[in-house]
Coordinates of all heavy atoms in Angstrom, one line a residue:
S136 N -35.0 7.6 -14.3 CA -34.2 6.8 -13.4 C -32.9 7.5 -13.1 O -32.4 7.3 -12.0 CB -34.0 5.4 -14.0 OG -33.2 5.5 -15.2
L140 N -31.7 8.5 -9.3 CA -30.4 8.0 -8.8 C -29.6 9.2 -8.2 O -29.1 9.2 -7.1 CB -29.7 7.3 -9.8 CG -28.3 6.8 -9.5 CD1 -28.4 5.8 -8.3 CD2 -27.6 6.2 -10.7
Y144 N -28.5 9.8 -4.3 CA -27.1 10.0 -3.9 C -26.9 11.3 -3.2 O -26.2 11.4 -2.2 CB -26.2 10.0 -5.1 CG -25.8 8.6 -5.5 CD1 -25.7 8.2 -6.9 CD2 -25.5 7.6 -4.6 CE1 -25.4 7.0 -7.3 CE2 -25.1 6.3 -5.0 CZ -25.1 6.0 -6.3 OH -24.7 4.8 -6.7
C154 N -29.1 3.6 -1.9 CA -29.6 3.8 -3.3 C -29.5 2.6 -4.2 O -29.5 2.7 -5.4 CB -28.8 5.0 -3.9 SG -28.9 6.5 -2.9
W155 N -29.4 1.4 -3.6 CA -29.3 0.3 -4.5 C -30.4 0.0 -5.4 O -30.3 -0.5 -6.5 CB -29.0 -1.0 -3.6 CG -30.2 -1.4 -2.8 CD1 -30.4 -1.0 -1.5 CD2 -31.2 -2.3 -3.1 NE1 -31.6 -1.6 -1.0 CE2 -32.1 -2.4 -2.0 CE3 -31.5 -3.0 -4.3 CZ2 -33.2 -3.2 -2.0 CZ3 -32.6 -3.8 -4.3 CH2 -33.5 -3.9 -3.2
K156 N -31.6 0.4 -5.0 CA -32.8 0.2 -5.9 C -32.7 1.1 -7.1 O -33.0 0.7 -8.2 CB -34.1 0.5 -5.1 CG -34.5 -0.6 -4.1 CD -35.7 -0.2 -3.4 CE -36.0 -1.2 -2.3 NZ -37.2 -0.8 -1.5
E157 N -32.3 2.4 -6.8 CA -32.2 3.4 -7.9 C -31.1 2.9 -8.9 O -31.2 3.1 -10.1 CB -31.9 4.8 -7.3 CG -33.1 5.4 -6.7 CD -33.4 4.9 -5.2 OE1 -32.6 4.1 -4.7 OE2 -34.4 5.3 -4.6
V158 N -30.0 2.4 -8.3 CA -28.9 2.0 -9.2 C -29.4 0.8 -10.1 O -29.1 0.8 -11.3 CB -27.7 1.5 -8.4 CG1 -26.6 0.8 -9.2 CG2 -27.1 2.7 -7.7
A159 N -30.1 -0.1 -9.5 CA -30.6 -1.3 -10.3 C -31.6 -0.8 -11.4 O -31.6 -1.2 -12.5 CB -31.3 -2.3 -9.4
N160 N -32.5 0.2 -11.0 CA -33.4 0.7 -12.0 C -32.7 1.4 -13.1 O -33.0 1.3 -14.3 CB -34.4 1.7 -11.3 CG -35.4 1.0 -10.5 OD1 -35.6 -0.2 -10.6 ND2 -36.0 1.7 -9.5
F161 N -31.7 2.2 -12.8 CA -30.9 2.9 -13.8 C -30.2 1.9 -14.7 O -30.2 2.1 -15.9 CB -29.9 3.8 -13.1 CG -29.1 4.6 -14.1 CD1 -29.6 5.7 -14.8 CD2 -27.7 4.3 -14.3 CE1 -28.9 6.4 -15.7 CE2 -27.0 5.1 -15.2 CZ -27.6 6.1 -15.9
K162 N -29.6 0.9 -14.1 CA -28.9 -0.1 -15.0 C -29.9 -0.8 -15.9 O -29.6 -1.1 -17.1 CB -28.2 -1.2 -14.1 CG -26.9 -0.7 -13.5 CD -26.3 -1.8 -12.7 CE -24.9 -1.4 -12.1 NZ -24.3 -2.4 -11.3
N163 N -31.1 -1.1 -15.4 CA -32.1 -1.8 -16.3 C -32.5 -0.9 -17.4 O -32.7 -1.3 -18.5 CB -33.3 -2.2 -15.4 CG -33.0 -3.4 -14.5 OD1 -32.1 -4.1 -14.8 ND2 -33.8 -3.5 -13.5
S164 N -32.6 0.4 -17.1 CA -33.0 1.4 -18.2 C -31.9 1.5 -19.2 O -32.2 1.5 -20.4 CB -33.3 2.8 -17.5 OG -34.3 2.7 -16.7
V165 N -30.7 1.5 -18.8 CA -29.6 1.6 -19.7 C -29.5 0.3 -20.6 O -29.3 0.4 -21.8 CB -28.3 1.9 -19.0 CG1 -27.1 1.7 -19.9 CG2 -28.3 3.3 -18.4
S166 N -29.7 -0.8 -19.9 CA -29.7 -2.1 -20.6 C -30.8 -2.1 -21.7 O -30.5 -2.6 -22.8 CB -29.9 -3.2 -19.6 OG -29.9 -4.4 -20.3

Side-chain angles (χ1 to χ4, degrees):
S136 65
L140 181 60
Y144 277 139
C154 302
W155 66 271
K156 289 179 186 175
E157 288 80 3
V158 170
N160 289 339
F161 181 72
K162 283 183 178 181
N163 289 337
S164 296
V165 170
S166 176

